[in-house]
Each structure stands twice: as C-alpha cells, then as structure tokens.
Amino acid sequence: MKAIRIAGRRRVSAAPKSGSVSASRLGWLDALRGIAALAVVMHHLKLPLRWVPHGNEVPNYLDLGVFGVMLFFLVSGYIIPASLERRGDVRGFWIGRAFRIYPVVIVTFVVSLLILPHKYTVVSGWAYDHPLLSLAANGLLLQDLMGVPNALGVLWTLTYEMVFYYFVTALFLLGWHRRSVPIAVGFAAVALVLGGWIALGTLSVDLSAKRHLVVACAAVVVMAMACIMTGRQALIKLGGLLLGALGLVLIGLNSRSAAFETMMIFATMFSGTVLYRMERGQIERTQALLSCGFVIVCGFLSGYMYNHGWALWQTWSDSWKAWSFAYLAAWAVFAAGMLLRKRRFPRWLSWLGAISYSLYLLHNPAIHAMNWILAGHAPIESWTGRALQFTTFMAALTLLSWLAYRLVELPFQNLGRRALKAVARRLPPEAPEPAPARDRTATSLPGVPTQASRVGENEPVLAKRE
C-alpha cells in the first residue's frame, strides 16, 4: 500500500511538468502570432516606412498586410483542427469559439462608435446606411462573402476563419479530418487554374439580393447551431454538414476578393493542418512536404498570373510582387518558427502573441484616434519627434490590447467554460452506442466529447485564433 501511495504521489507531482512542456511547445505559435500582429500594424500605420529613404517603395515588393494575415492563417490551420480533435466535442468547440471571438469584436465596435468622431470613425459608412443588414452580416462574420462591407475593416479575415471552422467541423463529423493533403492541394490547384476565372459576387448583385442572401445564411447558421447544441449525434452531424455546404457555396459563388486569393487562403490554412499532422506522425513526411511545396508554388504563381488590374483592388495590394513575395515570406517565417519550435522564444514576443487578437482588432481605431489627436498640428519632421510619436503610439496600443486581453478576453473565455458546463447539464450529450465486442477499444464517435473534455481540459490560450 505504501508503495502504491508513493507511486501515486510521483504521478501527481509529475503532472504539472507535462503541462509546462505543452505550453513551451506552443510558445513558438504565440511568437509567430506576435510577428504577424506587428506586421499588420506596420502595414496600416505606415509611419516607419514613410521616414526611411525609399521606404515608400517597400509596399510594391512586400505587402506587410498579406504577410501578416497569411502567417495568421498558417497558425490557425495548424492549431484549430488540433483543438477540435483534442476536445472531441463539436458543441464545446463552437461555444469556445463564440466566447473567444465575439466579445472583443463587440467591445471594439462599440468603443469606436462612442469615442471616435464621425470624421475619424473606423466603422464603414455602409453600416450607418444599412444598420440592420450590416449588423446581421457582420454578426455572422460572413460579411466578406455576402457582398456586405466589413463594419470594421480588419474583420474580413474573420470571415475566412469562420468558414474554415465550418469546413473543419464538417470534415471532423464525416471522419475525413485527416485528409488534409488532398484538400490543401485541391484548393491550391483551383487557385492556380481557375483563380482568374471564377465568378465573384454572383449571389449579391444588388441590395435586394444581399438582403435575401443574409437572411438565407442566417437561417442556415441558426439551424446548424441549434442542431449542434442539442448534443445528439444525428443532429450534430446535420448541423456540421449544413455549415460545410454553406461555406462551399459562399467561397465558390460569392467571394469578394480575387478568386485566387480566396482559394489560396484555404489552401494555406489546410497546409498548416498538414504540418501539424506531419509533426504528430499522422501523415508521412514526404507526402506533407510535397503538398506544402505545391501550395507554396501555386501561391506564388497565382499571384504572378492573376494579381493585376482590377484584382489589385480586390486583394488590396500594390502589385503581383507585393502579394507573391509576402506569401513566400509568411511561409518562410512559419517554417523557421517550426524548425526552432523546441527552442525558447523571447518572452516579449510570445506575450505579444497572447494579446495579438486584441492588438489586431484595436490597432486601426488607435491609428484613427492618433490622427484625430494630431489633426491641426504641423507635421512631425524631426527624428526625435518621430521616434517619440511611434514609441508613444505603440506603447498606448500595447497597453490597450493588454487591458482588452485581461478585462475582456480572459473573463469571457472563463464564462464560455461555465456556459459549456451549463449547456451540458441542461442538454447532456448523447452517449455513443456500445461498439461490437471486437471494437471495444475504438475511440468515441466524432462529436461526442471524450471523458477528458467532459470534465474540462486545460487548453493553452493562443491569442487571436485559438
């Protein structure tokens, strides 16, 4: 008995070590998010580039915005499917997503409306002209694929995140979630072959069509989420398939951006999943590297072939070089981070990654607020004044982002965990049917939470998209 107790104590005392190892393993992803967030801020701020000789030429060859969001998409592709599969609980996944994504979006939108004067607002004019339609489309976070302008400019990336969640959910429920290689390669091939030919905005040709599309999408999403929340296997699967089908329709028929960019975004995210599966030993290394190599080549070539003329307005970039080189740079930085994942990254960079979601959402309102404060003042010409302006802005933005992380993100994540427990008590998940005798060791069915997820699993907080 004494030996058993001692062994038990050893197991308990060893448990925290595994958690710390897990946290250190994921620190490289936070560091990459920190880099991505800084790149997007620099892209919109533009101050350092304006002050450096020939700095204004940089956007012609490297779009920092494309670099930042593509790096974000790679990180999301790596971690989001892993999060769902680790939980084994589709309902828990979506409750977690809702409490992770929406609170900071709502706070940013409301604070921007209340503080910034109309002349310096970050809220789109279309939202003022069509408030209910804009609220519904942006509330679904599908606005960029429904022909509705983003209420906040940076929300466009969340549309693609949301559709990626739709696809991940549907694939998981169908048991196809490990087919990441053909999915990534397929999206990349479509981008390369049809990236300049797929029709855009075919479902939202005018205001009336936009209204109908928003109402239809809202009905599908509400139905799908209602099915998922029941906790019953058949209904969860129906809800997941509805979401996956809706995502395919929107990206195939109603993209706002150039078709090649839309398809490359999903090829990139699923490539992140490929790399995760390669690291976990679920995919052969050669297969994974060939897949990612093909996606990288397709990304560069599709930018070279299609990012000209009108497409530049749709991708918000200055040239094909700016898009393609930024895409290559995002992959290079992600690959470097993955190769160095077992090493320690600077704490400040990982910390920046932890607050990167708030940083991403708040940086544009902060830029507009700075322009409002400096309105009527003479331009700052001295290097001392410029350094002071830049340092003050970055310090204020970082402080605001940290406060949003501490006062909004973390409390609502905790509230989401309590909400999940409350839903599970009110609507207990349906137990899977007993497996035949020879399959007793089989894992639980997709969508049914594992025992670990039922009692509550400590997942690392990975800033914006985890």
Side-chain angles (χ1 to χ4, degrees):
M1 287 294 289
K2 190 172 183 180
I4 292 173
R5 289 192 191 114
I6 291 173
R9 284 196 203 106
R10 285 177 180 162
R11 279 194 294 269
V12 172
S13 63
K17 292 184 181 178
S18 64
S20 63
V21 170
S22 177
S24 66
R25 280 183 64 250
L26 296 171
W28 67 281
L29 292 172
D30 272 337
L32 293 182
R33 281 179 170 159
I35 294 171
L38 281 177
V40 175
V41 172
M42 294 302 104
H43 172 70
H44 290 131
L45 184 60
K46 300 185 188 306
L47 285 183
L49 295 180
R50 289 177 182 172
W51 299 333
V52 177
H54 307 292
N56 290 329
E57 296 297 319
V58 172
N60 292 324
Y61 298 95
L62 181 71
D63 190 298
L64 288 176
V66 172
F67 164 77
V69 297
M70 287 298 178
L71 187 54
F72 268 134
F73 286 142
L74 276 166
V75 174
S76 290
Y78 185 94
I79 198 63
I80 291 299
S83 175
L84 173 58
E85 293 163 27
R86 184 170 58 247
R87 284 176 179 270
D89 179 7
V90 172
R91 181 170 66 181
F93 170 79
W94 275 104
I95 291 175
R97 291 295 88 205
F99 280 90
R100 184 70 183 88
I101 293 174
Y102 281 101
V104 186
V105 171
I106 295 170
V107 168
T108 302
F109 183 80
V110 172
V111 170
S112 298
L113 281 177
L114 294 177
I115 293 180
L116 294 175
H118 190 72
K119 182 178 179 181
Y120 294 95
T121 187
V122 291
V123 179
S124 71
W126 207 89
Y128 289 100
D129 297 334
H130 308 279
L132 292 179
L133 188 59
S134 179
L135 179 63
N138 284 272
L140 294 171
L141 289 179
L142 294 175
Q143 71 287 342
D144 208 54
L145 293 172
M146 293 196 292
V148 175
N150 300 282
L152 300 172
V154 295
L155 293 186
W156 75 271
T157 59
L158 295 188
T159 293
Y160 296 90
E161 283 278 332
M162 189 62 67
V163 173
F164 180 62
Y165 300 162
Y166 289 179
F167 291 157
V168 167
T169 300
L171 291 169
F172 179 70
L173 291 169
L174 288 170
W176 297 351
H177 49 289
R178 294 196 177 185
R179 301 182 183 180
S180 309
V181 167
I183 295 171
V185 168
F187 274 119
V190 171
L192 185 63
V193 177
L194 301 176
W197 301 96
I198 297 176
L200 307 177
T202 59
L203 302 179
S204 56
V205 293
D206 53 32
L207 183 59
S208 177
K210 290 177 184 179
R211 288 197 188 100
H212 295 163
L213 181 60
V214 171
V215 170
C217 289
V220 172
V221 172
V222 169
M223 174 61 180
M225 291 303 169
C227 290
I228 289 172
M229 291 304 124
T230 64
R232 300 191 173 277
Q233 276 302 295
L235 290 176
I236 289 175
K237 190 169 186 178
L238 173 61
L241 294 179
L242 282 173
L243 294 177
L246 177 62
L248 284 174
V249 169
L250 290 178
I251 69 170
L253 298 177
N254 214 61
S255 177
R256 184 271 316 159
S257 182
F260 82 88
E261 183 176 58
T262 297
M263 296 302 164
M264 283 311 307
I265 285 173
F266 291 104
T268 302
M269 285 196 276
F270 279 107
S271 293
T273 311
V274 167
L275 292 173
Y276 164 77
R277 300 202 186 286
M278 181 189 75
E279 186 191 15
R280 302 290 291 180
Q282 299 172 1
I283 292 178
E284 187 183 72
R285 179 177 293 271
T286 303
Q287 185 183 18
L289 294 180
L290 279 174
S291 167
C292 291
F294 179 75
V295 170
I296 293 169
V297 170
C298 287
F300 182 85
L301 290 179
S302 60
Y304 166 73
M305 293 165 60
Y306 302 122
N307 200 34
H308 303 277
W310 183 249
L312 294 173
W313 291 92
Q314 296 167 326
T315 60
W316 299 323
S317 56
D318 290 353
S319 68
W320 76 264
K321 294 176 183 177
W323 197 97
S324 292
F325 290 159
Y327 187 75
L328 292 181
W331 267 98
V333 171
F334 187 87
M338 192 170 183
L339 289 173
L340 298 173
R341 64 189 179 278
K342 294 181 180 179
R343 299 194 178 188
R344 287 188 177 275
F345 282 79
R347 278 191 173 185
W348 67 268
L349 193 56
S350 295
W351 177 81
L352 196 65
I355 65 169
S356 63
Y357 184 38
S358 292
L359 192 75
Y360 178 79
L361 290 174
L362 290 170
H363 77 274
N364 256 347
I367 291 172
H368 284 239
M370 179 181 67
N371 293 336
W372 175 33
I373 293 170
L374 296 178
H377 292 76
I380 300 174
E381 299 292 344
S382 70
W383 282 103
T384 303
R386 290 173 174 178
L388 181 62
Q389 178 190 2
F390 179 73
T391 304
T392 303
F393 173 81
M394 291 303 300
L397 175 60
T398 304
L399 176 61
L400 288 173
S401 302
W402 177 77
L403 289 173
Y405 174 69
R406 296 287 299 178
L407 301 178
V408 181
E409 289 191 58
L410 292 181
F412 273 94
Q413 287 176 33
N414 293 330
L415 182 61
R417 295 184 187 100
R418 293 198 293 271
L420 175 58
K421 292 178 181 178
V423 171
R425 285 194 300 269
R426 184 67 67 94
L427 296 170
E430 184 180 50
E433 296 180 5
R438 66 177 181 275
D439 294 330
R440 294 285 184 186
T441 59
T443 57
S444 61
L445 296 175
V448 176
T450 62
Q451 188 63 31
S453 67
R454 285 176 185 156
V455 299
E457 182 181 351
N458 270 340
E459 292 190 358
V461 177
L462 290 173
K464 173 181 178 248
R465 320 220 179 193
E466 163 56 358

